[in-house]
Structures are given as structure tokens and as C-alpha cells.
Amino acid sequence: MYNIQTLKEKVLAGQLLTDDEAYALPSFSSSELREAAAEITAAMCPAEFEPCSIINARSGRCPENCKWCAQSAHHAAKCEIYDLVDHKECVEAARYNHERGVKRFSLVASGKKVSGETLRRMCAMLDDIRRDVGIEVCASMGLLGHDELQQLKDAGVKRYHCNLETAPSHFATLCTTHTIDDKLATIRAAHSLGMEVCSGGIIGMGETMRQRVEFALTLRKAQPVSIPINVLSPIPGTPLGDTPLISEDEILDSVAIIRLIHPTVQIRFAGGRARMSKEAQLQAMRIAVNSGIVGDLLTTIGSTIAEDKELAREAGYKF
């Protein structure tokens, strides 16, 4: 039988929970989990909230069959379809965010991977953003190999994003065109080049709390510096379009568990938080969330950079 006080003290002493200890976390009460996670966040994480922003650089017609995604060509969901965002528009979007205090800017592309001429053009955009704007550049371009990642690194990308999405035991029920092992192979290739990795996923896709623990433990293999957490917002036309929404309490318990398993990693608010109340968002930030995807140009966020800045300050962070 585990004791939450003992587990918290172990983490505060700089040790990671074992798998068995991690799987015991859902047995504790919400108040125990949240208080322990909040103490760990306050003691082991920076007091500065790190904002980043993204642009959807290529949209739609994705050959993958991920059940949550509107961009999959397998589903009837409506989404924008275009091959590549305008170069100048992309640079100006990065400049707009940088001028408002955003630290990182990422190009995100639909599809299993970006390669060839499209990758070359995206690398040119990233290089121009880095040189002309001065913001840190990131990329999320699918299941890339060593050579493609090297091109991104040469363009100035220091951090690559590749979500595991969910627990291995649940993933195959949601996507059959690629695997978590495929994702981990890309992540290993990024690490081999000295790149940082941003990797997280989506909660609320029918997984159990135990599978969220499994997801968090599997993320240790990715060694991420940042874990973006999305909350599923069911999209009509996708196979998960009728999935019941998880409660705010479940969201808060989930981020607390992830913090206990990843005591020093940035836990990043991503998509879906717009449906959370302000109070629940503040609680999440005090418990575990110390970074976020922000941006006035992002319809999925549902808030402005100014509003996010104020929210972070109200939660006790510098922005």
C-alpha cells in the first residue's frame, strides 16, 4: 500500500516514481493528488510560464486514419485544405507572436511526413523566421527520419514535436496506419541529432485513468522537455465525434498524475482548454501546467495572448 506523502517526498528528493508507484496514483483522492503535484510544481519547475505558438503550414488530405483528427482523408469532417502556407504570411505570423512575448514558433504540417521540395520550402521559412524575427523555431512534420530531421536542424530547429497521443494499449484502437513505435523511432532520430523533443497527447479519447498513467510512463522513453496536453473536443464527421466530454475534475487529476511522473518537464496547455472554466484553468496551472500554446491566430485556443498572459500572472507565473 503506497502513501501519497511518501511518494511526494521521493519525487521532491529527485527520484522518479517506479511503474508500480505510478500505477497506484489513481487510487488517491483528487485533493491528495492535486496538492502533491502543486507542491512538486512549485518546488521543481521554473516560475516563468513559457508560451509558444504554431501555424498550420499544410492542412488536410492526410492519409493517416487517426480517429480524432478532422484532417484525415478517411473521415467526413470539414477542414481547410491547402498544400503550403504562404512564406511571407508565415514569417509575419511569427513576428506578430514574437512581438507579444511568445518564445517559440512552430510549423505544423498534416500528413504522415513532410519530405522533398515541401520540406525544403518549409526549412527556408524556418530559416527566415529564425534570422529575421529572432524567435526560437520548432517543427511538427510527422514521422521523419534522420536525413529529414538533419535538414530541419540545419534550418535552426532545436526542438522537434511528435506526440505519442495516448497509451500503447489504446493507440491501436484509434489509429492503424502507424504505431507508437513509429513515433518513438522518429523521436530517437531527433535525439541522435541533439534535438530536444516535445511530445504529449490527447486525453478524453475513451482511455481509462490507468491508461493515462501508461501514457505518461511511455513518455519517459521520449525524454521530452515539453509535454503538450490536449483535451479532446469531439469533431463532427470523425469517428470520435460523439465521444462524451470528460469532466474538469478528470482533467485536473490527469495533469496532476502527469506532473508526479514528470516532475521537472514543462506540461503545456494545448488544444481543448477553451471549454474549461477560468477557475479550472487556473487550478491546472497551479497544480501542474507551466507552459502553453497561445496565439491570437489560433482558433483552437479560444483566448488571446493578452488573456493568456493575464491568466498566467494570476496563477503566479511570470510571462
Side-chain angles (χ1 to χ4, degrees):
M1 189 66 141
Y2 294 105
N3 177 284
I4 190 66
Q5 183 70 18
T6 302
L7 297 183
K8 179 190 71 177
E9 289 174 357
K10 177 179 181 178
V11 173
L12 288 170
Q15 301 177 64
L16 292 177
L17 298 182
T18 66
D19 287 7
D20 286 344
E21 290 168 337
Y23 279 118
L25 293 175
S27 67
F28 297 113
S29 69
S30 294
S31 60
E32 289 176 314
L33 282 173
R34 297 174 195 180
E35 287 168 12
E39 189 171 337
I40 289 166
T41 299
M44 303 185 75
C45 298
E48 185 170 353
F49 190 88
E50 191 203 67
C52 69
S53 190
I54 64 175
I55 189 168
N56 196 8
R58 183 175 72 181
S59 182
R61 291 194 294 260
C62 181
E64 306 305 286
N65 65 358
C66 308
K67 289 185 177 180
W68 61 85
C69 186
Q71 296 197 55
S72 171
H74 295 261
H75 312 324
K78 295 179 180 178
C79 76
E80 285 191 274
I81 297 176
Y82 52 84
D83 288 329
L84 194 60
V85 71
D86 178 75
H87 187 117
K88 183 178 180 181
E89 175 187 340
C90 187
V91 174
E92 289 309 308
R95 192 184 315 280
Y96 178 93
N97 281 277
H98 184 54
E99 289 171 351
R100 286 155 180 79
V102 176
K103 306 296 185 185
R104 296 180 169 276
F105 188 78
S106 181
L107 270 62
V108 179
S110 67
K112 189 166 190 173
K113 67 183 296 184
V114 176
S115 59
E117 177 61 15
T118 301
L119 179 60
R120 188 199 65 76
R121 291 173 63 189
M122 287 189 177
C123 286
M125 290 183 196
L126 289 161
D127 195 41
D128 281 353
I129 290 168
R130 178 176 60 89
R131 294 174 185 274
D132 297 346
V133 178
I135 195 170
E136 290 284 341
V137 290
C138 306
S140 180
M141 299 183 183
L143 302 176
L144 302 189
H146 182 278
D147 292 347
E148 291 101 349
L149 289 164
Q150 181 67 62
Q151 292 179 62
L152 288 172
K153 183 178 180 181
D154 292 344
V157 174
K158 298 177 182 178
R159 183 180 296 184
Y160 191 70
H161 169 264
C162 184
N163 274 352
L164 296 190
E165 304 299 5
T166 191
S169 65
H170 192 48
F171 187 88
T173 70
L174 300 170
C175 176
T176 61
T177 50
H178 61 271
T179 67
I180 282 185
D181 284 342
D182 294 331
K183 292 172 176 289
L184 288 170
T186 287
I187 288 168
R188 287 193 297 272
H191 279 308
S192 74
L193 289 166
M195 301 173 84
E196 295 178 342
V197 167
C198 175
S199 184
I202 309 170
I203 60 174
M205 297 195 293
E207 75 284 354
T208 64
M209 191 62 83
R210 180 178 175 84
Q211 285 174 319
R212 289 181 200 146
V213 175
E214 181 191 350
F215 160 65
L217 288 171
T218 307
L219 275 172
R220 285 182 177 174
K221 297 179 181 179
Q223 302 175 36
V225 297
S226 170
I227 299 175
I229 298 299
N230 299 270
V231 181
L232 182 71
S233 294
I235 300 170
T238 66
L240 298 186
D242 296 323
T243 303
L245 299 177
I246 61 172
S247 68
E248 291 184 341
D249 281 334
E250 200 170 341
I251 295 169
L252 295 175
D253 288 351
S254 298
V255 297
I257 285 172
I258 293 168
R259 172 55 71 211
L260 282 155
I261 295 171
H262 294 273
T264 61
V265 176
Q266 289 175 336
I267 298 178
R268 188 176 298 274
F269 259 151
R273 67 182 170 97
R275 70 175 181 83
M276 296 173 65
S277 66
K278 178 183 176 182
E279 181 53 39
Q281 291 189 53
L282 283 170
Q283 285 187 62
M285 293 166 79
R286 291 169 180 145
I287 293 166
V289 175
N290 60 343
S291 56
I293 299 176
V294 304
D296 299 349
L297 308 178
L298 302 175
T299 57
T300 57
I301 297 300
S303 60
T304 66
I305 295 173
E307 289 169 341
D308 284 332
K309 188 177 293 188
E310 181 57 33
L311 192 70
R313 287 173 176 165
E314 194 171 336
Y317 291 100
K318 300 174 184 176
F319 186 116

